Amino acid sequence: MNELLKKSGFSQRAIEYYTKKTNVGKIENPSVSFSYTGHCGDTMKIYLKIDSDIITGAKFEATGCAGAFSAGSALMEIVKGRSIMEAEKISEENIIGHLGGVPETKIDCVYLAKRSFEETLKLFKDTRLNS
Ligand code: FES
């Protein structure tokens, strides 16, 4: 399978994330979790643990392709240890750069991860405002 992914244009790091399921799973008692469905019909659910504005834990579950899983792994990796404000500035380009490139046809899957994360943070902020 790794050869197939390589042929499809996935980087070594993306393949590693996908096969090792890096940051895939649930966080028990998360500070926030949110599920978002993209245009392709795939869904990503993000779990964040946030302590004093710092993201101390980040995991996700998804129905989706290798593009979604590798992008989700990368994004969780990037945001861990960052403040909410810093994490909000992470772009699709940052995710793609961290992975060392993404096949052209998988850019939308990166967008799914980014959007799911954005919505999760938004929910966290909205809930905090209203409590
Ligand atoms: Fe749906 Fe990649 S095609 S996440």
Side-chain angles (χ1 to χ4, degrees), residues 25-38:
K26 264 187 193 147
I27 291 180
E28 294 305 327
N29 303 317
S31 307
V32 65
S33 72
F34 186 76
S35 183
Y36 175 81
T37 302

Side-chain angles (χ1 to χ4, degrees), residues 81-92:
R82 293 193 189 244
S83 68
I84 294 177
M85 239 167 86
E86 286 170 339
E88 281 175 328
K89 292 185 192 136
I90 307 295
S91 64
E92 280 88 345

Side-chain angles (χ1 to χ4, degrees), residues 38-44 62-69 105-110 112-113:
H39 297 302
C40 63
D42 289 322
T43 298
M44 186 174 286
T63 58
C65 66
F69 275 92
T105 53
K106 297 294 170 188
I107 303 287
D108 267 0
C109 315
V110 175
L112 171 70

